[in-house]
């Protein structure tokens, strides 16, 4: 029988962390929203019908006064650290599965404190002292303890399978720490279609049949359902000298510096582990603070850590340690030394190399080169485009430092009124864009005209009147000529305008105005096509350039 495991779950933690970080009161309905809709909400929001998985618009329809906050794992981790720190004096060996959920071996705590009730009381009192509510689960296996925490189940030894048997099979999808929720959702949907309604119904299927029909994901979920050891203890020894240490001179004080350092240390750690042929499942992060204190946290993962996953967890910890939210006493300080040490490792999977042994090596070389440039010139020196979602060309792609995670998840849409394909080849080209206008259609006699971004283009009718857009979204005249930098070109074609009225429900910043806009595409006879934009209802005048179709 496995050692007893106790899980501590803080309900609605993303919503709790968002409320604390944003300063919202507990009486306000609040929801944390990601790409797939509502990820978490507080009890006030649930009371009016808001649920996980709802689309943002549906959630706001059910609760118009709902406070919507974007998902942020770094924020969740930073605000969760004080809760974990509050338990360090009560129970040892805490392992964080994710912000809002941690586990520890209960055997030692039960012997020290004298029983289950005593341990649960001390744990709940310590968490309550940090201003947070929690629920506790106790079981033989870690997954059962995690699921039991949601029902405050304190199971007797050997009672895991009996407890799980009555749970609906959908309970396998409620916790991301137990596996990929997207894969598990597909598995649960298939089980429902096959008539499997409870975890007990799933557990009685023969393991060979599960492996044949449902693959690796089904096998892992079946082990959870049968309450057999979820992940046997690794017998692979941690390679000697695999720990990565760094002395911070000068001491580390800024979060952006911490993020850059985290990527570098994570890369060094994984290079060492890769050379030894292992991957890390449990990672210990230790920091020495300037005043002499030492803080430590252990992260446990369901799958081997990647360099990006290691860097994220280190960045979350450093953010808490630098700001003080993760240090006992709430006083932050500069970090003078860092150490990353693998606690549990497993043999790494083998990557099939190409015919000449180069599969995957080119990408690794590019990564090392870019990180090297960042080390020489700073994190902002290497930037990459990321998909951001939106209607206009400037909104669809944003630039961010290489290796950073987007601040907000990509909103996949749909985007009614979005710019149709193809997109402009040049977007927001700077203070001005040099556009070649060919005199009399002769490419050899091209003249460069600088196109300002704001009001740099005029559309005129055949009689020379300026063309604008009315409040109803209609052109005030029929465009015949485009005027760029004082030079006029006849138009070969133009599109009808389409209006864009975005985020009208959000408050307008002081000193700014929000007005509907109209976009139009024009094709000059002797120049590249342009994407133009202007507010509705203004007096006919200049159009702003949003893109150039070269």
């Amino acid at each position: 029988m496995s050692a007893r495991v106790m899980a501590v779950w803080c309900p609605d933690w993303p919503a709790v962390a968002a409320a604390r970080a944003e300063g919202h009161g507990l009486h306000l309905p609040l929801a944390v929203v990601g790409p797939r809709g509502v990820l978490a909400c507080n009890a006030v929001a649930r009371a009016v019908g808001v649920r996980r998985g709802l689309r943002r618009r549906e959630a706001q329809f059910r609760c118009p006064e709902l406070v919507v906050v974007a998902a942020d794992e770094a924020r969740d981790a930073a605000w969760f650290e004080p809760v974990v720190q509050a338990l360090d004096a009560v129970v040892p060996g805490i392992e964080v599965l994710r912000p809002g959920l941690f586990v520890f071996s209960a055997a030692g705590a039960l012997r020290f404190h004298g029983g289950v009730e005593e341990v649960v009381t001390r744990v709940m009192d310590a968490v309550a002292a940090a201003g947070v509510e929690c629920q506790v689960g106790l079981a033989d296996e870690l997954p059962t303890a995690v699921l039991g925490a949601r029902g405050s189940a304190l199971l007797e030894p050997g009672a895991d399978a009996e407890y799980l048997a009555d749970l609906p099979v959908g309970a396998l999808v409620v916790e991301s720490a137990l596996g990929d929720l997207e894969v598990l959702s597909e598995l649960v949907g298939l089980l429902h279609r096959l008539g499997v309604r409870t975890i007990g119904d799933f557990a009685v299927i023969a393991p060979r049949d599960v492996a044949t029909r449902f693959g690796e994901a089904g096998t892992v979920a079946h082990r959870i359902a049968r309450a057999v050891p979820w992940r046997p203890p690794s017998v692979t020894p941690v390679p000697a000298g695999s720990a990565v240490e760094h002395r911070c001179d000068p001491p580390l004080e800024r979060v952006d510096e911490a993020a850059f350092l985290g990527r570098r240390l994570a890369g060094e750690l994984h290079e060492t582990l890769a050379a030894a042929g292992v991957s890390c499942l449990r990672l210990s992060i230790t920091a020495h603070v300037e005043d002499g204190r030492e803080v430590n946290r252990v992260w446990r993962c369901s799958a081997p850590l990647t360099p990006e996953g290691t860097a994220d967890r280190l960045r979350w910890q450093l953010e808490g340690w630098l700001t003080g939210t993760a240090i006992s006493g709430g006083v932050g300080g500069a970090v003078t030394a860092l150490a990353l040490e693998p606690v549990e490792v497993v043999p790494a999977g083998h990557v099939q190399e190409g015919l000449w042994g180069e599969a995957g090596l080119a990408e690794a070389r590019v990564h090392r080169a870019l990180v090297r440039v960042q080390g020489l010139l700073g994190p902002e020196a290497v930037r990459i485009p990321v998909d951001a979602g939106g209607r206009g060309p400037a909104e669809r792609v944003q630039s961010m430092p290489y290796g950073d995670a987007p601040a907000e998840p990509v909103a996949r849409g749909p985007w009614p009124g979005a710019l149709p394909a193809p997109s402009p080849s040049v977007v927001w080209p700077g203070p001005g864009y040099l556009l070649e206008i060919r005199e009399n259609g002769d490419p050899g006699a091209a003249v460069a005209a600088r196109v300002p971004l704001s009001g740099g283009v005029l559309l005129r009718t055949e009689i020379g009147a300026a063309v604008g857009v009315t409040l109803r979204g209609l052109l005030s005249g029929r465009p015949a000529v485009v005027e760029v930098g004082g030079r006029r070109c006849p138009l070969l074609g133009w599109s009808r305008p389409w209006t864009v009225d975005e985020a009208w429900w959000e408050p307008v910043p002081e000193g700014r105005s929000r007005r509907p806009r109209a976009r139009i595409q024009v094709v000059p006879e002797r120049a590249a096509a342009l994407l133009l934009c202007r507010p509705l209802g203004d007096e006919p005048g200049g159009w702003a350039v949003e893109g150039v179709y070269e």
Side-chain angles (χ1 to χ4, degrees), residues 43-247:
V44 181
R46 277 196 299 275
V48 292
V50 180
R51 295 290 184 271
R52 284 184 57 185
L54 284 180
R55 299 291 295 271
R56 172 174 176 168
R57 184 171 297 180
E58 174 65 20
Q60 290 177 317
F61 174 78
R62 295 186 181 188
C63 181
E65 63 273 16
L66 183 68
V67 178
V68 177
V69 182
D72 185 350
E73 290 183 338
R75 175 191 64 213
D76 298 345
W79 284 95
F80 188 58
E81 261 304 304
V83 181
V84 185
Q85 287 280 347
L87 282 175
D88 279 345
V90 178
V91 291
I94 294 174
E95 297 181 4
V96 179
L97 298 185
R98 62 162 177 81
L101 177 66
F102 56 86
V103 296
F104 59 90
S105 176
L110 292 174
R111 289 193 301 268
F112 182 82
H113 294 291
V116 175
E117 292 186 3
E118 289 77 6
V119 174
V120 172
T121 300
R122 287 180 175 271
V123 167
M124 297 187 71
D125 288 346
V127 175
V132 180
E133 297 179 349
C134 74
Q135 295 177 206
V136 180
L138 175 64
D140 293 337
E141 301 298 335
L142 186 148
T144 311
V146 169
L147 296 178
R150 293 177 173 266
S152 299
L154 304 175
L155 306 180
E156 296 293 333
D160 286 26
E162 182 180 355
Y163 172 75
L164 293 173
D166 295 330
L167 295 180
V169 72
L172 296 171
V173 193
V174 299
E175 183 50 63
S176 60
L178 300 181
D180 189 329
L181 291 186
E182 185 174 353
V183 175
L184 289 176
S185 296
E186 295 179 1
L187 172 64
V188 169
L190 179 56
L191 291 175
H192 269 288
R193 293 193 295 273
L194 294 175
V196 178
R197 295 292 183 263
T198 66
I199 292 181
D201 296 338
F202 184 39
V204 299
I205 303 176
R208 178 180 298 179
D209 296 337
V210 172
T212 303
R213 180 65 179 83
F214 303 109
E216 181 181 358
T219 301
V220 174
H222 196 239
R223 295 180 67 87
I224 296 175
R226 294 162 54 214
V228 297
W230 178 51
R231 192 179 75 202
S234 174
V235 297
T236 303
V238 177
S242 58
V244 175
E245 298 182 359
H246 177 77
R247 296 285 177 181

Side-chain angles (χ1 to χ4, degrees), residues 12-25:
D12 310 325
W13 180 254
V16 173
R20 292 189 170 192
E22 303 290 336
H24 298 301

Side-chain angles (χ1 to χ4, degrees), residues 370-383:
L370 295 179
V371 172
R372 174 63 176 167
V373 173
Q374 284 183 317
L376 295 174
L377 304 179
E380 295 289 334
V382 181
R383 302 184 68 87

Side-chain angles (χ1 to χ4, degrees), residues 346-367:
V346 293
H350 297 284
V351 179
Q352 178 65 44
E353 294 188 349
L355 184 60
W356 290 277
E358 296 182 355
L361 299 181
E363 183 178 352
R365 286 196 295 267
V366 170
H367 172 74

Side-chain angles (χ1 to χ4, degrees), residues 9 23 34 80 125 128-129 141 180 214 250 265 340 345 369 398 425 428 433 443 469 473 486 517 540:
W9 173 59
F80 188 58
D125 288 346
E141 301 298 335
D180 189 329
F214 303 109
L265 293 182
L340 299 181
V345 296
Q398 294 181 0
S425 55
W428 296 116
Y433 177 74
V469 182
R517 297 169 297 153

